Each structure stands twice: as structure tokens, then as C-alpha cells.
Amino acid sequence: MRALAYFGPGNVRVVKKPDPRIEHPQDVVLRVTRAAICGSDLHLLHGLVPDTRVGCTLGHEFTGVVEEVGRDVKTLKRGDRVVVPFNISCGRCFFCERGLFANCENTNPSSNDIASGVYGYSHTTGGFEGGQAEYVRVPFADVGPTRIPEDMEDEEVLFLSDILPTGYQAAEMGEIQKGETVIVFGSGPVGLFAQLSAWLMGAGRVIAVDRVPERLHFARQFNGVEILNFEEVDDPVMTLREMTGGRGADVCIDAVGMEAEGSTLERALGLKANLEAGVATALAWCIQTARKGGNVSIVGVYGPPWNLVPIGTAMNKGLTLRMNQCNVKRYLPHLLKHIREGRIDARRIITHRFPLERAPEAYDLFEKRARGCIKCVLLPHGEA
Amino acid sequence: MSTDRRADGLHTHLPPAGPGRVDDVDPTARPGVPMEHLPEPFPTAPERVVVQRPRVEVLQIPGRKKPVWVVSNAQPPRGLSGRLRRRAFRIPEHHPQHWMLLLAADRLEVRLTRAKRWLGFAAGALALWAVLRAIEDR
Ligand SMILES: [Zn+2]
Ligand SMILES: [Zn+2]
């Protein structure tokens, strides 16, 4: 089969690989119909995630058709169309039993501290091959994949694999109460869905912060939020405090993660000198613009082993910091209902579609945020 | 809120975004609240699980009590970078050295792969040159 593979920082290519096969009785193999490129794939592309091995296939957001079924799989059969959460979860360990599917302890041999197994996200999350390929192996097929309703198209539900539930969980962890003010840092796909979810949870004001004018424009159109381009002001923290009555926002959401812009010093430390795991500027701004006693919710991805974070400020302001990788499976039925009933039109954020062979070009476009790119989707088998 | 759908399944009347879209105001309507619930197995989780035996070397973090249930057989550790990775996995992950060694192994692997590729090109070019010379000399 053909698959997109990593060959070093800034270098991904489409290569031939052996087809995946059933390796465990609870596996299925999918023929991939849609595979999205995620903002967090850029951290891999930039070589920021440790143990990203040459030749690994990226991609953790995909839909597909069941092609082969392991002998112990009970709920799926050949031909079923499914959307797959990015986390690989066993469904019955200490953590899965408590709903913490992202923290499953049975799918990632390489780490106790990072996450469960994840498709296409380095050997730090288990080294499982990703979905930016013609076929992909899906372990624990009775737990992760969700069947796509017959009257729905793959692209309508594709983002249930990660960015929509991640954005929703971001808002949920903010414990938004009716009428509260929410600042969302980062207006990429996850930020957009966090803004939308904040409205669904009754926010009174939602402010989107980013530096890419097209993304802010899109946020205003898609979600009807207030916007701030932090590059157009001297001091974004002061501006946001002013915008929120001097006190700060009730809830701040970090939908940026480890490659934030905004601080030359931190970028030098984190991205040039590698003295910290990337850059935590967005998180610092969350802490600095939340009101005392407010909540900060983190879904932006940070790597090990450490980051510079103004934790003293957080402590002295009495903030609550909440964070996790998304427990995707918890949200699938609820968000599927929102999509079916027309409250969320997730597919609208797709700006570009590419065949698999042009995946490197898609990465380039997405990385540069060029041509108004919000979200790129790959079609490994064409329109089918 | 409108739920009209065209025959082709596309939504026609999306409600406007913005304040007033308040479907999940009640925290109990939010599916992840509380994030950790009382223990119960996922309804369709397998009752019995076979532990997958890896076909290749799979590096495990030290201190793990039992093997994980599924693993990936892709890109096992190899060559010099593999040796660095094995070393990294002798150090628990709360020590920064674990991650530093892994990052070093990543960079080394990329350089070696590139060098091998160039060596391959160079060898090919050299062979071609030798063949052309031989033809000319005839
Ligand atoms: Zn993603
Ligand atoms: Zn589990």
C-alpha cells in the first residue's frame, strides 16, 4: 500500500509499505476513506516529539471501511463504515473503566506518563502506524471505532476522531457557567470547536486569540466570536484584561500547545536551544488573563520533560488548571447527535482536499497556513 | 432548532452561531462530567484479552508491572540509533536524560538514513560513470 512516512524534521514522503494485517484477535484492518492532518502532526513534522522514528506513518484522524476482522471482534463486520478515536483504549483497565480512555494503561508500552497508544504519533505513544495511508490496523475494534450512520457521510463525522471532541472537552474542562466570559487561545481547528462548544455550554462572551487574520476572520464567521490578533497590539495580556473589565476572563483555554508564537525569548529557549519542550507562551497567557479563581483548560499538546510556566501566578490567583488528552469515546454519541441535528457543522472547516500522493504538499500548505488553510483532508482512495 | 436535511444528507438550515446556542448549559448534560466516573467496564469491551506477542523488539519503560495488551511491530530499534534508544529505555521517563537520549537517537537516525541514501546515489553514479568509461574505451 501507499502511506505517508516521516523521514526527519520537515521531511515527509509517500512511500510503499506492506499492507497492515491482523496482529491481535481484537484487531480490524480498515480501508481508509478520509484522513485529516492535525495541528499536532506539525509537532511531529518539526521533530519535536521524542522517539519519532524514520519511516513511521502519521495520521490519527480518520474514517474507513472495515476490510479484515480479527477472530474475537464482536461488533464490527466487513464493509462497516467507521470513525475511529485517535486514542487506542482497551475498555477495561483501571483507567478505561473510569472513563479515562486517553489514559489507558494497556496500549502503550513506551510510557506510563504520556498517554495511551495513539495512531501515528511516534513510539512515545506506542509506535502504532497512522491513518494517512491506504490501510490501517485498528486494535481493540470493539472499543474505539464507532459505526457511521447510513444517512451520514464520512466527512460529516470525520472530526469526531479528535478535534471536535477535543475542542468540546476543552470547553467542558473550563467548567463554563451560563453567561461567563471565555478566551480561547488558538483559532485553529481545535480552537474553533472549543469556541463553538463554549457557546453550547452557555458562555456569555467568547474571545478568539490568534495571529493569522484568515483564521480569526473564519472564527468570526463560523462561530460569531470576538477576535483579537495579538500581533496587532503591544501587550496581548494587557489588552485582554482591558477587554474583560480589568479582572480577566472566567475561563481561558489553551488550544495552541508547544509551538506558540508571541515570545521571541521562549521560542529561542524551546525551539532553537531545546532547553524546554517547545514553547508554553499560550499557557502563560491563559494563566495571566484568567480572573482570580478562574479556570484554565489545556488541550494544546506539550511534550516531556518540562516547560516554563508561571505556576506561582496560577497559585496566587487561585486558578484551577484542568487538562487531559481527549477521552474521545466519552463524547462520540453526544457530539454525533449535535451533528445529526444540525447544531454543529463540523465539515465546514475543511478548506482543502488532497489525494494521498499529494500529502507532502498538504502538510506544506497547512504548516504555512497558506491559501486560507484551516483543515486539510486526504483521500487515500479518491472520492469513494 | 432546525434539523432540516436535504435528501443528500447535507444540512440546509444551520442555526446561527453565537450567544443563545445553549444546548449543554446544564453540566450534567455534558458527557465528560465528571471526567472520572465510578468504575465500570466499557459495554462492548472484550471479556478476555490475549496478550499480543510482538514479532520485533518493543522497548518498554522500566518499572512496568505487566506487559501491555497490544503493541506495534513497526520500526523496531535498529543500528546505532537503536542502541541509543535501548539506553534511553533503561532510564525511567521522569529523568530528562530518557527524553534527551531519545531526541538524540531521532536526529542520529535521520542523519544516518540521509547519509545512506546519498551513499547509495554516489555508488550508483560511480557505477554509471565506470560503465560509460568502459564503453568509451572500447
Ligand atoms: Zn489531531
Ligand atoms: Zn484501558
Side-chain angles (χ1 to χ4, degrees), chain A residues 38-40 60-61 162-163 375:
Chain A
C38 181
S40 62
H60 58 267
E61 303 178 353
D162 177 0
I163 52 174
K375 190 78 176 173

Side-chain angles (χ1 to χ4, degrees), chain A residues 2 4 9 56 73 109 112 130 139 146 152 162 174 184 207-208 211 217 222 231 268 279 309 319 326 334 352 365 383:
Chain A
R2 291 164 312 140
L4 179 97
C56 64
V73 174
N112 280 322
T146 291
M152 295 182 87
D162 177 0
V184 180
I207 304 170
R211 66 194 276 269
H217 179 74
F222 187 65
E231 283 190 339
V279 183
V309 175
L319 300 183
C326 182
H334 187 77
H352 295 82
L365 183 84
E383 286 294 335

